[in-house]
Amino acid sequence: SVSSFISRSSSSSRLSEFVDAKTELQDIYHDLSNYLSNFLTILEDSVLLRDRQMLEHLCAFSSRVEAIAKVLSRDRMKVAFFGRTSNGKSAVINALLHEKILPSAMGHTTSCFCQVQANGSDETEHVKVEQEDEHMELSALRELASAHSPGALKPSTLLQVNMAKNRCSILDYDVVLMDTPGVDVTAQLDDCLDSYCMDADVFILVLNAESTVSRVERQFFKDVASKLSRPNLFILNNRWDKASSMEPEMEQKVKDQHMERCVNLLVDELGVYSTAQEAWERIYHVSALEALHIRNGHIKNPSAQTKERYQEFLRFENDFSNCLAVSALKTKFGPHLLSAQKILNQLKSTLISPFIEKVSRLIDENKERRANLNAEIEEWELEMQGEREDLQYCFEELTEMTQRLGRCVLNDQIKT
Ligand code: GDP
């Protein structure tokens, strides 16, 4: 049934691994930060341990941990979509969102960079130009992003579409979807590409299955591939519903032709995959529009061909999600993990160990002082005892002399 068919989407993906890893890393950095501030308090409060250089060291560690934690909280998985105008980039994004969010219609193509993401926890849904403060309603998007509206933005603008976290499950997984103006425009926007797209974990080239890859598209991807070593590149031959409305035999022939050209592009021209098999697995024939219509209930009884194309869309969704999570885990969280390990090791070797040594040394010195003092006291005690004995002896002698005097005859004579 259609519903079982729809619910399969994203279910087997590894996107949650990214979210789990992020939570775990954030906990680690949170604990590390607490640990450092506790240690700082111990050092500041202790007369014995107070040491300006060590305190400075510790503060430096603290700010490094804070800085990484900040980057970490912003880390998300990013997918960038490229292709010529009207190939269906926005349609693919809408299908992934299960909802028509981006304007996508004949003559309504995206005219700027459009980043769809989950909003902050205390925000309402809104659209916003990156550099500006004004929050606009989602409905303003059609006007803003459309190349043909009077209010259209410059192609280099980055428009942020901030959606409620629970509205689209892919966004809830911390995925950011970047729609770009057609490659014909994008190619001239080198700066924007660098700043908006080069940090993407996965690149999706949306082609029009009704035509062949254009020279601009090839050149554009050559440029991308030369900037990044082995980008994760997927090719969607979109509008396959239109392109394949022909005899089955012919359809297979066209598909084979597309496959051959795309494999050639990925392996020989771009060099992003080393084998044809690898490239083969990254090429799909889909209909984004149908996928969206199935997902929002507009197609009640899909034909066998429609079902087949939807299966292919699910396969694409699952494959790129897995690739996205694996790549983002490695490139984004790998360095944070290494940094945490390095900070812990440095803390151990440069701070804690010297302090333990210092305290141990103080304890040992004290023990020694106590032993020396004990010996001195004992000696003194002995001396005192000797002196006491001498004095006692003197006293006894005096007593004896007194007694002698008492007994003296002269004494009696004086009395009388
Ligand atoms: P973009 O400029 O690459 O973002 O292209 P759009 O997503 O705006 O799509 C351009 C036009 O093609 C729109 O009218 C879409 O409805 C239509 N379209 C997109 N994908 C498909 C598809 O798979 N099949 C069909 N038949 N039309 C599509």
Side-chain angles (χ1 to χ4, degrees):
S1 76
V2 179
S3 61
S4 72
F5 192 58
I6 295 172
S7 63
R8 274 197 46 209
S9 64
S10 320
S11 60
S12 58
S13 85
R14 297 177 62 180
L15 295 177
S16 59
E17 285 179 27
F18 181 88
V19 183
D20 294 345
K22 183 166 172 176
T23 311
E24 210 175 321
L25 267 178
Q26 276 180 316
D27 280 352
I28 289 175
Y29 273 92
H30 178 77
D31 291 350
L32 199 52
S33 165
N34 279 347
Y35 175 85
L36 282 171
S37 66
N38 286 342
F39 193 52
L40 210 72
T41 316
I42 293 180
L43 290 199
E44 278 170 341
D45 289 351
S46 154
V47 184
L48 278 180
L49 298 178
R50 204 178 288 149
D51 178 325
R52 211 172 55 87
Q53 209 188 349
M54 287 294 190
L55 280 179
E56 279 172 10
H57 242 32
L58 210 58
C59 287
F61 273 119
S62 239
S63 15
R64 233 167 82 207
V65 167
E66 297 301 325
I68 297 175
K70 215 180 220 169
V71 174
L72 181 58
S73 72
R74 284 196 304 254
D75 276 338
R76 287 174 302 190
M77 295 175 271
K78 192 172 197 177
V79 196
F81 296 81
F82 298 96
R84 241 175 3 179
T85 314
S86 289
N87 282 2
K89 296 177 293 298
S90 309
V92 173
I93 293 179
N94 287 337
L96 291 172
L97 295 171
H98 291 235
E99 200 177 332
K100 189 170 170 182
I101 303 290
L102 295 181
S104 155
M106 264 310 167
H108 265 97
T109 52
T110 321
S111 67
C112 61
F113 290 85
C114 233
Q115 173 168 316
V116 188
Q117 58 194 12
N119 60 5
S121 47
D122 50 352
E123 289 176 335
T124 47
E125 291 193 330
H126 63 276
V127 180
K128 170 183 174 309
V129 174
E130 193 205 18
Q131 309 287 356
E132 293 171 13
D133 294 330
E134 192 191 352
H135 286 200
M136 290 164 279
E137 306 253 331
L138 281 193
S139 54
L141 196 58
R142 200 177 166 78
E143 175 84 358
L144 279 168
S146 163
H148 303 283
S149 90
L153 301 162
K154 277 198 304 208
S156 59
T157 313
L158 175 62
L159 203 56
Q160 293 172 336
V161 183
N162 298 293
M163 308 278 300
K165 228 174 186 266
N166 51 10
R167 185 150 160 189
C168 313
S169 72
I170 190 161
L171 302 182
D172 200 18
Y173 282 122
D174 248 351
V175 174
V176 174
L177 303 171
M178 176 68 83
D179 197 5
T180 61
V183 281
D184 19 0
V185 183
T186 317
Q188 296 153 26
L189 303 169
D190 215 34
D191 289 353
C192 301
L193 267 185
D194 285 348
S195 45
Y196 305 156
C197 302
M198 285 306 138
D199 63 339
D201 302 286
V202 167
F203 295 83
I204 294 171
L205 173 57
V206 182
L207 297 177
N208 183 352
E210 291 165 290
S211 57
T212 56
V213 195
S214 72
R215 199 188 48 79
V216 195
E217 280 163 331
R218 279 169 198 281
Q219 190 50 49
F220 175 76
F221 269 91
K222 272 188 189 159
D223 293 346
V224 172
S226 71
K227 286 184 193 191
L228 299 165
S229 68
R230 305 210 144 213
N232 294 308
L233 197 55
F234 287 74
I235 295 185
L236 281 185
N237 286 294
N238 190 39
R239 304 173 72 99
W240 189 233
D241 55 322
K242 286 272 178 199
S244 64
S245 51
M246 50 184 96
E247 324 258 283
E249 216 174 275
M250 195 59 194
E251 182 184 319
Q252 192 54 47
K253 222 170 143 189
V254 174
K255 200 178 203 168
D256 290 345
Q257 256 175 19
H258 280 161
M259 288 305 270
E260 199 188 319
R261 288 201 183 114
C262 292
V263 166
N264 196 27
L265 175 69
L266 291 175
V267 180
D268 302 329
E269 291 185 50
L270 303 178
V272 292
Y273 298 115
S274 28
T275 64
Q277 181 60 35
E278 259 182 295
W280 191 271
E281 286 166 8
R282 299 275 162 118
I283 304 164
Y284 307 81
H285 287 78
V286 297
S287 166
L289 199 61
E290 265 181 357
L292 174 65
H293 285 166
I294 287 173
R295 287 182 164 180
N296 62 20
H298 291 165
I299 297 181
K300 296 274 187 275
N301 296 306
S303 67
Q305 288 91 335
T306 299
K307 276 186 181 172
E308 203 181 303
R309 284 189 288 270
Y310 187 58
Q311 290 298 342
E312 177 85 340
F313 189 85
L314 290 177
R315 188 172 71 86
F316 155 69
E317 186 171 50
N318 189 57
D319 291 354
F320 100 82
S321 302
N322 290 344
C323 176
L324 179 63
V326 171
S327 161
L329 276 173
K330 201 157 62 188
T331 59
K332 301 220 157 72
F333 293 163
H336 296 328
L337 194 68
L338 284 181
S339 297
Q341 280 169 342
K342 219 163 126 190
I343 290 173
L344 283 180
N345 285 338
Q346 281 179 342
L347 263 177
K348 262 203 262 177
S349 66
T350 65
L351 281 177
I352 311 295
S353 300
F355 270 118
I356 291 178
E357 273 165 30
K358 185 174 174 181
V359 174
S360 305
R361 204 174 51 239
L362 284 177
I363 291 175
D364 286 348
E365 277 171 15
N366 228 32
K367 266 188 199 156
E368 207 177 311
R369 256 170 62 201
R370 189 207 300 228
N372 288 343
L373 266 179
N374 272 348
E376 225 171 273
I377 289 171
E378 250 168 53
E379 207 175 296
W380 185 73
E381 265 175 9
L382 274 178
E383 215 169 285
M384 288 298 159
Q385 264 170 18
E387 276 172 27
R388 189 169 63 182
E389 274 165 25
D390 287 350
L391 284 172
Q392 192 74 33
Y393 180 72
C394 292
F395 185 77
E396 277 162 16
E397 269 193 336
L398 273 181
T399 315
E400 199 194 302
M401 275 198 283
T402 319
Q403 284 169 353
R404 256 172 63 201
L405 272 179
R407 286 193 304 269
C408 193
V409 185
L410 190 62
N411 210 7
D412 289 337
Q413 287 170 350
I414 293 169
K415 279 181 193 161
T416 55

